[in-house]
PDB file of all heavy atoms in Angstrom:
ATOM      1  N   ILE D  37      -9.269   8.931   6.004  1.00 89.00           N
ATOM      2  CA  ILE D  37     -10.097   8.061   5.149  1.00 89.00           C
ATOM      3  C   ILE D  37      -9.760   8.409   3.721  1.00 89.00           C
ATOM      4  O   ILE D  37      -9.719   9.653   3.317  1.00 89.00           O
ATOM      5  CB  ILE D  37     -11.556   8.351   5.431  1.00 89.00           C
ATOM      6  CG1 ILE D  37     -11.929   7.820   6.889  1.00 89.00           C
ATOM      7  CG2 ILE D  37     -12.421   7.601   4.376  1.00 89.00           C
ATOM      8  CD1 ILE D  37     -13.332   8.096   7.245  1.00 89.00           C
ATOM      9  N   LEU D  68      -4.833  -4.728  -4.195  1.00 80.00           N
ATOM     10  CA  LEU D  68      -4.258  -4.619  -2.797  1.00 80.00           C
ATOM     11  C   LEU D  68      -5.338  -4.466  -1.736  1.00 80.00           C
ATOM     12  O   LEU D  68      -5.081  -4.687  -0.566  1.00 80.00           O
ATOM     13  CB  LEU D  68      -3.271  -3.379  -2.703  1.00 80.00           C
ATOM     14  CG  LEU D  68      -2.043  -3.456  -3.613  1.00 80.00           C
ATOM     15  CD1 LEU D  68      -1.250  -2.163  -3.480  1.00 80.00           C
ATOM     16  CD2 LEU D  68      -1.176  -4.628  -3.290  1.00 80.00           C
ATOM     17  N   SER D  86       6.687 -28.940  22.073  1.00 91.00           N
ATOM     18  CA  SER D  86       6.906 -30.062  23.031  1.00 91.00           C
ATOM     19  C   SER D  86       6.555 -29.712  24.464  1.00 91.00           C
ATOM     20  O   SER D  86       6.307 -30.587  25.284  1.00 91.00           O
ATOM     21  CB  SER D  86       8.352 -30.570  22.944  1.00 91.00           C
ATOM     22  OG  SER D  86       9.292 -29.548  23.293  1.00 91.00           O
ATOM     23  N   LYS D 112       6.761 -41.016  25.211  1.00 95.00           N
ATOM     24  CA  LYS D 112       6.579 -42.393  24.760  1.00 95.00           C
ATOM     25  C   LYS D 112       6.079 -42.354  23.353  1.00 95.00           C
ATOM     26  O   LYS D 112       5.421 -41.433  22.930  1.00 95.00           O
ATOM     27  CB  LYS D 112       5.530 -43.084  25.675  1.00 95.00           C
ATOM     28  CG  LYS D 112       5.872 -43.222  27.131  1.00 95.00           C
ATOM     29  CD  LYS D 112       6.756 -44.394  27.361  1.00 95.00           C
ATOM     30  CE  LYS D 112       6.912 -44.628  28.884  1.00 95.00           C
ATOM     31  NZ  LYS D 112       7.815 -45.827  29.091  1.00 95.00           N
ATOM     32  N   SER D 200     -11.260 -23.892  10.436  1.00 90.00           N
ATOM     33  CA  SER D 200     -12.073 -24.080   9.222  1.00 90.00           C
ATOM     34  C   SER D 200     -11.322 -23.555   7.940  1.00 90.00           C
ATOM     35  O   SER D 200     -11.920 -22.841   7.095  1.00 90.00           O
ATOM     36  CB  SER D 200     -13.417 -23.352   9.387  1.00 90.00           C
ATOM     37  OG  SER D 200     -14.163 -23.949  10.427  1.00 90.00           O
ATOM     38  N   GLN D 302      21.775 -57.766  38.670  1.00 87.00           N
ATOM     39  CA  GLN D 302      21.252 -57.992  37.373  1.00 87.00           C
ATOM     40  C   GLN D 302      22.365 -58.030  36.325  1.00 87.00           C
ATOM     41  O   GLN D 302      23.426 -57.334  36.415  1.00 87.00           O
ATOM     42  CB  GLN D 302      20.233 -56.940  37.046  1.00 87.00           C
ATOM     43  CG  GLN D 302      19.467 -57.118  35.726  1.00 87.00           C
ATOM     44  CD  GLN D 302      18.476 -56.001  35.462  1.00 87.00           C
ATOM     45  OE1 GLN D 302      18.470 -55.018  36.231  1.00 87.00           O
ATOM     46  NE2 GLN D 302      17.643 -56.151  34.488  1.00 87.00           N
ATOM     47  N   ASP D 305      23.051 -58.870  28.736  1.00 95.00           N
ATOM     48  CA  ASP D 305      23.875 -59.301  27.661  1.00 95.00           C
ATOM     49  C   ASP D 305      23.523 -58.707  26.311  1.00 95.00           C
ATOM     50  O   ASP D 305      22.260 -58.623  26.041  1.00 95.00           O
ATOM     51  CB  ASP D 305      23.886 -60.823  27.572  1.00 95.00           C
ATOM     52  CG  ASP D 305      24.569 -61.488  28.773  1.00 95.00           C
ATOM     53  OD1 ASP D 305      25.726 -61.069  29.048  1.00 95.00           O
ATOM     54  OD2 ASP D 305      23.943 -62.347  29.390  1.00 95.00           O
ATOM     55  N   LYS D 325      14.927 -57.839  21.502  1.00 94.00           N
ATOM     56  CA  LYS D 325      15.055 -58.261  20.109  1.00 94.00           C
ATOM     57  C   LYS D 325      15.339 -57.178  19.095  1.00 94.00           C
ATOM     58  O   LYS D 325      15.089 -57.293  17.923  1.00 94.00           O
ATOM     59  CB  LYS D 325      13.705 -59.006  19.633  1.00 94.00           C
ATOM     60  CG  LYS D 325      13.316 -60.109  20.596  1.00 94.00           C
ATOM     61  CD  LYS D 325      14.298 -61.223  20.742  1.00 94.00           C
ATOM     62  CE  LYS D 325      13.763 -62.295  21.598  1.00 94.00           C
ATOM     63  NZ  LYS D 325      14.806 -63.407  21.825  1.00 94.00           N
TER      64      LYS D 325
END
Side-chain angles (χ1 to χ4, degrees):
I37 295 176
L68 298 175
S86 59
K112 298 277 188 180
S200 293
Q302 188 178 7
D305 290 309
K325 308 299 182 185

